[in-house]
Amino acid sequence: CGVEDAVRVKSVSGVTLSQHSVMDCTTAKALKTWVEGGLKPAFGSLGGGVSKIRVAAHYACRTRNNQKGAKISEHGKGHAIDISGIYLENGNEVSVLKDWGKGRGGKALAGARKAACGPFGTVLGPGSDRFHRDHFHFDTARYRGGAYCK
């Protein structure tokens, strides 16, 4: 475990993170690209626009999905961030667990997740596996053959 050139991110392009998050510079840049080009446009003026991102996880020295014997997670390298919800300017939260696939909030979440594929090498969320039903996992791992988005 460990993060090369670690940064602690408090906010991105005017959007606060619910907890200060440790990551490498590549991941911080990908997060900025996504917030500006994916998250904000996906939510538009819904609830007055995006004010805060609920961070479920960032740097942590652990295995993939916290499974015994698994490889070190991208979280353990500072290459990943997990997002469980988006707060709007009006104070409402759009939750991945509660709002995925439902109404305008669910549509905005789907657009934001789709837009993450590109800035991030791996994008996981509801429907990808049992570990990601309540949050988005974004990481900057690069795989042969391009991004993995599910």
Side-chain angles (χ1 to χ4, degrees):
C1 288
V3 185
E4 285 188 37
D5 301 320
V7 294
R8 182 179 303 273
V9 181
K10 300 174 185 180
S11 68
V12 178
S13 300
V15 177
T16 305
L17 302 185
S18 64
Q19 57 180 295
H20 297 179
S21 301
V22 175
M23 60 194 75
D24 70 350
C25 286
T26 299
T27 305
K29 288 176 186 175
L31 184 62
K32 182 179 191 299
T33 298
W34 174 71
V35 167
E36 292 176 349
L39 179 65
K40 286 181 174 182
F43 277 82
S45 62
L46 181 66
V50 175
S51 67
K52 183 168 33 172
I53 296 169
R54 180 185 287 275
V55 176
H58 54 102
Y59 173 72
C61 186
R62 64 173 177 84
T63 58
R64 289 184 185 167
N65 303 313
N66 292 303
Q67 299 298 295
K68 189 174 181 174
K71 292 181 180 180
I72 293 294
S73 168
E74 292 302 314
H75 289 281
K77 302 171 188 174
H79 299 167
I81 187 165
D82 289 351
I83 296 169
S84 60
I86 306 300
Y87 289 97
L88 305 176
E89 289 290 346
N90 66 7
N92 292 335
E93 179 184 8
V94 180
S95 162
V96 174
L97 179 62
K98 296 176 185 173
D99 297 308
W100 182 255
K102 299 175 187 169
R104 290 180 64 201
K107 185 176 179 181
L109 285 170
R113 175 172 139 171
K114 183 177 181 181
C117 195
F120 294 96
T122 304
V123 175
L124 302 171
S128 62
D129 62 31
R130 66 186 174 99
F131 299 108
H132 297 93
R133 65 181 183 81
D134 63 351
H135 69 278
F136 298 144
H137 168 90
F138 299 155
D139 75 46
T140 53
R142 296 290 174 206
Y143 300 102
R144 234 178 297 153
Y148 180 81
C149 301
K150 189 169 180 179

